[in-house]
Amino acid sequence: MSVFLDQCYEHMNKGEVIVAYKGTIGADIITNTLSLVELKLENIDVQNAVKKKLYNILVESLQNLYHHVDVPLNNGESDDCKSNFGIFILSKLEDAFRISTGNFIHHDRIPVIKEKIDKINSLSEEELKEFYKFVLNNQKFSEKGGGGLGLIDMARKSGNKLDYKFFKYSDDFEFFNLTVVINAPSNLN
Amino acid sequence: MELINIEGTPKTPTITMNAESGVIDIKGRSIPENSIEFYKPIVDWLEEYAKTPASKTVVNVQLEYFNTSSSKCILDVFKKLEVLKKNNNDVIINWYYEEDDEDMLEAGEDYESIIKVPFKMIQIVD
C-alpha cells in the first residue's frame, strides 16, 4: 500500500514544493493549508492577479478532494484507506504553479469522471463560460454540497487543460490524480 | 423585520441585511465547505422581506473570493431579488471587483446574464 502511494506521490511531485500533504482531508486541514499558502504567497514575486487565481483554484481542488474522497474502502487492507485519504501538492515551476491532487475512487466512477474532464478539455474559452453558466443555472446541488462546477471553474480560471491519470490499486479501486497548471509569467512590474 | 448581522470569518462573508433601509451588504470571502447551510438564513430572510420590501433595495456584493459551492447559493440569493424586481420593486445589485481581478468581474457578468436585475459593476481602486 505505502509503496503504491509513494509511487503515486512521486508521479505527482514536480517542481519546487510549496505545500505538500498526505493524509486525512478534513475541513481544518483545508483551512490551515489555505492560510499557510496565503502567507507563503506573500513572499513570492508574482502578480496579484495570479495569486488570486491560484488561491481560487486551490480552494476548488482541496474542496473537491474533501467532497469526493470519501469512497468506502473497507477492504481491510490498510489503514491508509479508512478515512478521507488524499494527497495534494502545490509547487512552483519556472513560470507557473502546479496543483496536483490525488484520491482513491471506485472503478465504476472512472467513466463518468473521464467523460466530464474530457468534455471540459474539449471546450474553448467561450464554450467553457457557457457550460459554466448552464451548470450554475440548471444543475441541482448534490447532497455533498458540490455544485458540479469545481472542475469547470478550475479549467476556466487556469485557462489550461486539466491533466488526469488513474493508477490501478486493486480490482475495485484506482488512485485518481488530477493536475492543473496556473501560468505565472515573471513579474514585469 | 429582524436585522441580519453576520460577522465574517476566514471562510464566510460579513453579511448585513436591513429591511428598513433596503440595504444588503455581502462582503469578504465565501469559501465554506457547506455553503447551503450558511446561505439558508439569508435566502429565508429575503423571502420574508419580499412581502413588504423597502421602496428601493440595494445589494452590495464585495467578495474577495468565492468557491463554486457558494456560487450556486449566491445565484439563489439573486433569484430572490429577481422575484422582487418582477413584482415592480426597485432593485439594484452593485458588484464590486478589484481592478486587477478579471475573474471577479467576469463572475459578475455571468450573473448579470442569468438574472434579470440591473447590475452595476464597480471597480475598487486602491
Side-chain angles (χ1 to χ4, degrees):
Chain A
M1 179 67 195
S2 43
V3 172
F4 171 80
L5 282 176
D6 285 347
Q7 284 166 352
C8 294
Y9 186 92
E10 275 319 306
H11 172 83
M12 291 166 68
N13 189 8
K14 286 198 178 77
E16 181 193 329
V17 174
I18 298 171
V19 179
Y21 179 83
K22 190 163 94 170
T24 304
I25 307 290
D28 285 352
I29 287 295
I30 296 180
T31 310
N32 295 341
T33 303
L34 291 174
S35 47
L36 177 66
V37 168
E38 209 168 11
L39 213 67
K40 290 207 171 199
L41 284 180
E42 277 179 20
N43 302 318
I44 295 178
D45 186 28
V46 286
Q47 294 160 19
N48 227 3
V50 173
K51 288 183 186 178
K52 280 204 152 181
K53 248 181 217 299
L54 173 65
Y55 189 85
N56 257 307
I57 295 170
L58 186 66
V59 169
E60 288 311 319
S61 306
L62 297 180
Q63 292 186 341
N64 228 6
L65 268 188
Y66 176 80
H67 288 301
H68 299 294
V69 84
D70 54 349
V71 180
L73 270 166
N74 305 325
N75 52 4
E77 279 182 36
S78 163
D79 287 344
D80 287 340
C81 296
K82 275 187 181 155
S83 48
N84 291 6
F85 179 83
I87 295 179
F88 63 79
I89 304 176
L90 164 65
S91 52
K92 174 95 180 73
L93 308 180
E94 200 176 330
D95 50 5
F97 290 96
R98 184 174 183 278
I99 298 170
S100 199
T101 59
N103 59 281
F104 285 101
I105 62 158
H106 195 274
H107 194 79
D108 295 349
R109 287 178 61 212
I110 292 178
V112 178
I113 296 176
K114 263 191 173 160
E115 195 188 336
K116 177 142 199 191
I117 300 177
D118 288 344
K119 177 175 179 170
I120 290 170
N121 282 344
S122 75
L123 300 177
S124 68
E125 195 183 320
E126 197 51 38
E127 288 167 333
L128 213 48
K129 181 187 174 81
E130 290 310 313
F131 187 41
Y132 179 92
K133 278 172 16 184
F134 176 80
V135 175
L136 174 66
N137 201 18
N138 293 288
Q139 204 155 295
K140 289 267 172 257
F141 262 117
S142 75
E143 57 191 34
K144 287 174 183 169
L149 287 167
L151 292 172
I152 307 173
D153 190 57
M154 283 157 66
R156 198 176 162 197
K157 289 216 169 87
S158 71
N160 289 319
K161 305 292 176 203
L162 303 175
D163 184 30
Y164 65 91
K165 212 177 164 86
F166 294 96
F167 298 91
K168 191 175 164 62
Y169 171 62
S170 67
D171 285 344
D172 290 334
F173 289 96
E174 305 217 9
F175 191 78
F176 166 49
N177 171 218
L178 178 71
T179 301
V180 56
V181 168
I182 300 106
N183 301 337
S186 308
N187 206 347
L188 301 172
N189 300 325
Chain B
M1 253 186 98
E2 196 186 339
L3 273 171
I4 285 203
N5 210 333
I6 302 170
E7 211 173 311
T9 72
K11 280 188 174 174
T12 53
T14 298
I15 297 190
T16 54
M17 306 174 94
N18 187 331
E20 214 169 294
S21 66
V23 175
I24 295 166
D25 289 312
I26 302 175
K27 194 173 177 179
R29 298 176 172 199
S30 185
I31 53 170
E33 277 79 31
N34 187 346
S35 356
I36 302 180
E37 198 178 65
F38 178 79
Y39 280 94
K40 189 170 185 306
I42 291 139
V43 174
D44 290 349
W45 187 94
L46 280 170
E47 192 151 340
E48 190 60 34
Y49 171 77
K51 292 175 189 164
T52 49
S55 58
K56 183 172 182 169
T57 305
V58 178
V59 183
N60 298 307
V61 184
Q62 191 174 337
L63 290 170
E64 193 187 354
Y65 296 110
F66 66 94
N67 60 2
T68 54
S69 154
S70 297
S71 69
K72 287 242 175 193
C73 296
I74 294 168
L75 184 71
D76 287 342
V77 167
F78 289 169
K79 284 198 166 160
K80 293 286 172 209
L81 300 170
E82 194 173 39
V83 173
L84 207 60
K85 175 76 190 165
K86 213 174 164 184
N87 295 333
N88 294 317
N89 293 292
D90 196 357
V91 187
I92 183 161
I93 298 171
N94 292 320
W95 183 272
Y96 290 85
Y97 65 98
E98 283 183 38
E99 59 177 331
D100 60 353
D101 197 347
E102 278 174 36
D103 289 335
M104 193 55 79
L105 171 62
E106 211 172 326
E109 289 168 349
D110 286 351
Y111 284 120
E112 189 180 19
S113 72
I114 296 173
I115 298 291
K116 292 180 193 73
V117 171
F119 272 71
K120 195 173 166 195
M121 303 297 167
I122 302 173
Q123 194 183 85
I124 309 163
V125 185
D126 290 334

